[in-house]
Amino acid sequence: METGTWMAIGFTVLGAVLCATGIEQLWQVRDRRRHWKRYQGEVFDYVWESGSTNSSIQHWILRWVDEQGVPRTAKNPTGSSGGTLRSFPFPVEILVDPEDPQRAQVARGGNSGVAAGIAALAVGPVFIGVGVLLGVAGS
């Protein structure tokens, strides 16, 4: 196969993977909102973790009190590379997995997982389109 054909296949496959990833992310957000317990809590700290290609991701540390009065903390699984300009602590609604209280995530906003899902779902069709155009131009 020619280089152009491989590029067309590569762009199309990458676009399909991005679309599938976006759909899966949004599906997980929907599932958490339906089945996990909601608590009022706060973001009181953060940690930086190494991302890919020399970048760092800021993950918020969440704190809430469960229905038994037990104070709990967890690291939000999604983060952002730019961090936040807000002063700590600040209030948030938190979704907590009833089967594993160490799994928690903010319910809304950019760190809820919605932004990542929408971004992947928006970029995926662009890659598919480029792949199709490369395939048509190469044939």
Side-chain angles (χ1 to χ4, degrees):
M1 276 196 227
E2 295 181 24
T3 303
T5 303
W6 282 112
M7 286 183 64
I9 291 169
F11 271 94
T12 304
V13 168
L14 179 58
V17 168
L18 285 168
C19 286
T21 301
I23 291 168
E24 175 64 19
Q25 179 74 19
L26 293 173
W27 197 262
Q28 288 176 4
V29 169
R30 181 185 144 279
D31 191 51
R32 281 192 299 270
R33 287 180 177 172
R34 285 185 173 182
H35 302 292
W36 287 18
K37 292 183 179 182
R38 292 178 182 272
Y39 293 96
Q40 293 303 313
E42 64 184 6
V43 175
F44 74 97
D45 202 358
Y46 61 89
V47 294
W48 287 98
E49 291 188 353
S50 295
S52 60
T53 63
N54 298 325
S55 66
S56 293
I57 306 293
Q58 183 187 72
H59 292 271
W60 291 343
I61 306 299
L62 310 173
R63 178 170 48 203
W64 71 99
V65 177
D66 69 14
E67 61 271 357
Q68 286 87 28
V70 177
R72 302 237 183 222
T73 61
K75 181 180 79 171
N76 199 60
T78 53
S80 61
S81 58
T84 184
L85 299 176
R86 297 179 75 175
S87 298
F88 293 93
F90 57 89
V92 292
E93 184 177 29
I94 300 170
L95 299 173
V96 179
D97 184 347
E99 296 179 16
D100 181 6
Q102 289 303 307
R103 292 182 60 204
Q105 186 155 8
V106 292
R108 292 187 173 80
N111 286 342
S112 67
V114 172
I118 290 173
L121 198 53
V123 172
V126 173
F127 276 81
I128 291 171
V130 169
V132 168
L133 288 175
L134 287 171
V136 169
S139 55

